[in-house]
Amino acid sequence: QVQLVESGGGLVQAGGSLRLSCAASGRTFSNYIMGWFRQAPGKEREFVADISRSGGRTTYADSVKGRFTFSRDNAKNTVYLQMNSLKPEDTAVYYCAADNRAYMALPPSYDYWGQGTQVTVSS
């Protein structure tokens, strides 16, 4: 089992920044590919970004590429999502998730999810 707890959400004006954190406990954190997802009201949950076990590789949704940065600190069992140049359409509940697939190229299968943190961007 892996427990995930997100933090860092809040209300920010358009153009502003937030940094989300996701702290993990339980099994060896570095064994997991980590992902961020978001779900806006009335919409399906969507992929935001993922990061390899070592942190050396990241992928991003086109909608956030160039504005968001995903990083991890395996010594602290924590991942971070730095969000810059925020837009009202970034408003959503943000979730982190853990996936024990062996390689980033394999189909995702996220096994563990956090409770989410609300991000609201005002125009």
Side-chain angles (χ1 to χ4, degrees):
Q1 286 281 356
V2 175
Q3 293 78 42
L4 301 172
V5 179
E6 302 96 336
S7 61
L11 173 64
V12 64
Q13 289 188 332
S17 298
L18 282 174
R19 188 175 82 154
L20 305 184
S21 300
C22 174
S25 60
R27 293 188 174 182
T28 305
F29 176 69
S30 58
N31 286 349
Y32 292 86
I33 290 168
M34 298 296 295
W36 282 100
F37 294 78
R38 67 186 182 187
Q39 187 166 20
K43 296 187 176 181
E44 293 188 353
R45 186 170 59 196
E46 65 174 359
F47 169 80
V48 174
D50 60 8
I51 192 166
S52 63
R53 296 174 178 186
S54 67
R57 179 180 173 184
T58 53
T59 59
Y60 298 92
D62 288 344
S63 58
V64 307
K65 202 172 294 183
R67 300 187 297 122
F68 290 12
T69 302
F70 196 176
S71 61
R72 70 189 295 164
D73 185 338
N74 286 341
K76 295 183 178 180
N77 287 2
T78 303
V79 296
Y80 306 96
L81 185 68
Q82 178 66 44
M83 306 186 296
N84 298 328
S85 301
L86 283 161
K87 305 174 181 180
E89 51 263 44
D90 294 318
T91 295
V93 177
Y94 283 71
Y95 300 90
C96 71
D99 186 337
N100 66 359
R101 71 187 189 269
Y103 304 104
M104 294 275 281
L106 294 173
S109 177
Y110 286 91
D111 306 292
Y112 304 102
W113 294 82
Q115 296 284 71
T117 185
Q118 176 71 46
V119 171
T120 304
V121 184
S122 63
S123 57

